[in-house]
């Protein structure tokens, strides 16, 4: 096993994120590594495909503010400094890869629901991260 120096945990800030954080924090402590957290907010325009002629900027800002508050508490709980907490707007797998490369990450830690069948074909963040990663990826089983 590699001696990991820089870890990136990707969280959606749900209850399942605590299982991911516990694994990532344990690895950080075991290797004396630096731990970063990323939370990706998908733009509302992605969800609605621009089909609804409406300005989502106020709602999007509210979502961003709530995520910032939650990520602050989450990061403090797991001993991740403010400088290592990242909130970005975009597609999760794309933004996780981009930040991972920017930071020179050795390991990305994500949650996986272990979906199969149609849910797997539709794709998941963990699957997207795994297939485009330039480093190791640990998929932590959550929500079983």
């Amino acid at each position: 096993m590699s001696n990991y120096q820089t870890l990136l945990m990707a969280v959606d800030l749900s209850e399942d994120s605590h299982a991911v954080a516990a694994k990532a924090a344990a690895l950080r402590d075991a290797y004396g590594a630096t731990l970063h957290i990323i939370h990706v907010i998908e733009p509302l325009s992605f969800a609605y495909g621009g089909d609804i002629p409406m300005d989502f900027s106020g709602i999007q800002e509210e979502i961003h503010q709530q995520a910032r508050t939650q990520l602050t508490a989450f990061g403090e709980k797991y001993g991740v400094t403010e400088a290592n907490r990242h909130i970005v707007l975009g597609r999760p797998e794309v933004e996780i890869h981009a930040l991972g490369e920017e930071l020179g990450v050795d390991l990305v830690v994500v949650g996986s629901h272990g979906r199969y069948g149609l849910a797997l074909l539709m794709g998941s963040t963990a699957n997207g991260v795994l297939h485009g990663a330039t480093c190791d990826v640990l998929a932590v089983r959550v929500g079983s």
Side-chain angles (χ1 to χ4, degrees):
M1 186 186 279
S2 298
N3 187 14
Y4 299 115
Q5 298 296 309
T6 307
L7 312 176
L8 177 61
M9 81 167 125
V11 296
D12 62 5
L13 298 173
S14 69
E15 284 301 312
D16 289 338
S17 296
H18 294 284
V20 176
K23 271 298 184 206
L27 287 166
R28 172 200 57 205
D29 296 345
Y31 290 111
T34 301
L35 179 59
H36 292 262
I37 303 173
I38 184 171
H39 174 68
V40 182
I41 300 170
E42 291 191 70
L44 291 173
S45 60
F46 284 3
Y48 295 104
D51 291 341
I52 299 174
M54 184 176 167
D55 180 12
F56 291 112
S57 59
I59 298 167
Q60 195 75 60
E61 180 54 37
E62 170 107 9
I63 291 169
H64 196 276
Q65 185 56 44
Q66 288 177 359
R68 189 176 305 124
T69 300
Q70 289 179 300
L71 190 63
T72 296
F74 193 86
E76 287 173 355
K77 179 174 182 167
Y78 292 99
V80 178
T81 64
E82 185 176 351
N84 291 0
R85 300 178 206 147
H86 311 274
I87 296 178
V88 294
L89 192 65
R91 296 237 182 248
E93 58 278 5
V94 171
E95 299 304 329
I96 292 165
H97 290 148
L99 184 62
E101 288 186 25
E102 180 184 323
L103 297 172
V105 166
D106 307 300
L107 177 69
V108 176
V109 183
V110 295
S112 174
H113 290 278
R115 293 190 174 99
Y116 53 90
L118 186 58
L120 179 61
L121 291 174
M122 297 296 285
S124 70
T125 299
N127 192 41
V129 170
L130 177 63
H131 285 25
T134 57
C135 65
D136 291 351
V137 176
L138 172 62
V140 178
R141 178 75 62 160
V142 296
S144 300

